[in-house]
Amino acid sequence: MASRKTSPPNRDKEDKYSVLLPTYNERENLPLIIWLLVKYFGESGYNYEIIVIDDGSPDGTLEVAEQLQKIYGGDKIILRPRAKKLGLGTAYVHGIKHATGNFIIIMDADLSHHPKFIPEFIAMQKEGDYDLVSGTRYGGNGGVYGWDLRRKLISRGANFLTQVLLRPAASDLTGSFRLYKKKVLESLVERCVSKGYVFQMEMIVRARQLNYSIGEVPITFVDRVYGESKLGGNEIVSFVKGLITLFATT
């Protein structure tokens, strides 16, 4: 692992990793998540770009992103804002169109996903030539920190229901910290019809249907430090409806 961080093989230099960061009201979190991404990519030596997809945040997230672009450079921080909140799935479609990397990393901008795990994602992908590598909170030494009992029960319950009904052979279906081959992500996004929290689950289910290989890296998920969680009653209802739809159609 250490050798990969300090001196990646020559073929790694041909690879480029495009990080898609959908944002909505993340002005407090964005500077730190960008700094951490730059730090860990810099230490690992991998070529990268960070694409910020802001959906018309009223808190000034885009203005903060513009300042960060000036600091780190327009070749590393790519801004592709949209006028309003249009959903996670369409944010990825929008980001993919502007990504120049042959690998895509998706993650949350609220500091719940630590960039320190990205070198592990990359190492696992290369070792097994996986089509996608997913971070898991429920496998190995993965875990969740900062959630109250209600949030833990909702997440565990959602994951358990998904395992029972869909049998996807992956331990964490609702997570959103993943590394994809770009062509694989494009193929999956074309086929997915879900929105919101069900979208991530459908991506894994479709990947299994298409016989894409999936690797998993245990991660520690930490609840957001700044801002409010976007998980509410409507999202839970949508999740249950989406799960039933996937069960009936896959």
Side-chain angles (χ1 to χ4, degrees):
M1 192 66 154
S3 62
R4 286 183 180 274
K5 289 184 178 179
T6 55
S7 56
N10 290 334
R11 66 185 176 85
D12 291 349
K13 295 179 181 178
E14 300 174 1
D15 294 326
K16 184 175 182 179
Y17 298 86
S18 298
V19 181
L20 304 189
L21 273 187
T23 59
Y24 186 77
N25 288 348
E26 300 289 0
R27 64 169 292 133
E28 293 97 343
N29 295 314
L30 193 60
L32 184 51
I33 193 67
I34 293 288
W35 182 83
L36 287 168
L37 283 166
V38 172
K39 168 183 165 62
Y40 284 99
F41 270 112
E43 290 177 355
S44 66
Y46 294 114
N47 191 14
Y48 72 98
E49 64 183 3
I50 303 166
I51 302 176
V52 179
I53 307 149
D54 186 65
D55 275 2
S57 297
D59 73 339
T61 298
L62 182 58
E63 287 75 10
V64 171
E66 289 169 348
Q67 292 300 315
L68 292 168
Q69 186 181 57
K70 291 177 182 177
I71 294 170
Y72 296 108
D75 60 325
K76 294 301 182 186
I77 311 297
I78 317 297
L79 308 182
R80 293 294 179 262
R82 303 189 297 176
K84 60 181 180 179
K85 203 171 183 181
L86 298 171
L88 192 61
T90 59
Y92 291 144
V93 171
H94 185 67
I96 291 169
K97 290 177 181 178
H98 301 285
T100 60
N102 56 324
F103 288 95
I104 305 286
I105 294 169
I106 64 170
M107 63 188 300
D108 295 340
D110 62 5
L111 301 176
S112 57
H113 298 146
H114 202 301
K116 69 181 180 182
F117 294 109
I118 289 177
E120 295 182 37
F121 281 45
I122 294 174
M124 171 163 279
Q125 191 283 320
K126 291 186 179 302
E127 287 167 8
D129 192 29
Y130 289 106
D131 294 308
L132 75 96
V133 175
S134 180
T136 176
R137 298 161 291 181
Y138 307 123
N141 60 351
V144 175
Y145 298 91
W147 276 1
D148 58 21
L149 182 60
R150 172 181 169 274
R151 285 291 302 275
K152 288 182 178 179
L153 287 175
I154 290 173
S155 180
R156 282 284 188 179
N159 205 60
F160 176 75
L161 279 174
T162 306
Q163 296 288 346
V164 170
L165 293 178
L166 303 180
R167 301 187 180 279
S171 64
D172 191 343
L173 278 294
T174 55
S176 54
F177 192 6
R178 296 174 184 165
L179 164 66
Y180 292 87
K181 291 180 179 178
K182 183 179 181 180
K183 291 181 179 179
V184 169
L185 182 57
E186 289 173 333
S187 172
L188 291 173
V189 167
E190 285 179 1
R191 290 169 171 79
C192 284
V193 297
S194 304
K195 297 180 180 179
Y197 291 91
V198 186
F199 177 80
Q200 303 294 3
M201 179 175 66
E202 185 179 355
M203 292 284 277
I204 293 288
V205 173
R206 300 296 181 195
R208 283 299 186 198
Q209 282 185 323
L210 296 170
N211 294 318
Y212 287 135
S213 56
I214 303 173
E216 290 191 316
V217 169
I219 64 166
T220 50
F221 177 97
V222 180
D223 196 22
R224 61 167 50 245
V225 177
Y226 299 107
E228 297 181 357
S229 170
K230 300 175 180 70
L231 176 63
N234 290 337
E235 285 75 16
I236 295 171
V237 172
S238 296
F239 173 84
V240 173
K241 289 181 178 178
L243 178 59
I244 294 171
T245 300
L246 279 178
F247 177 67
T249 59
T250 59

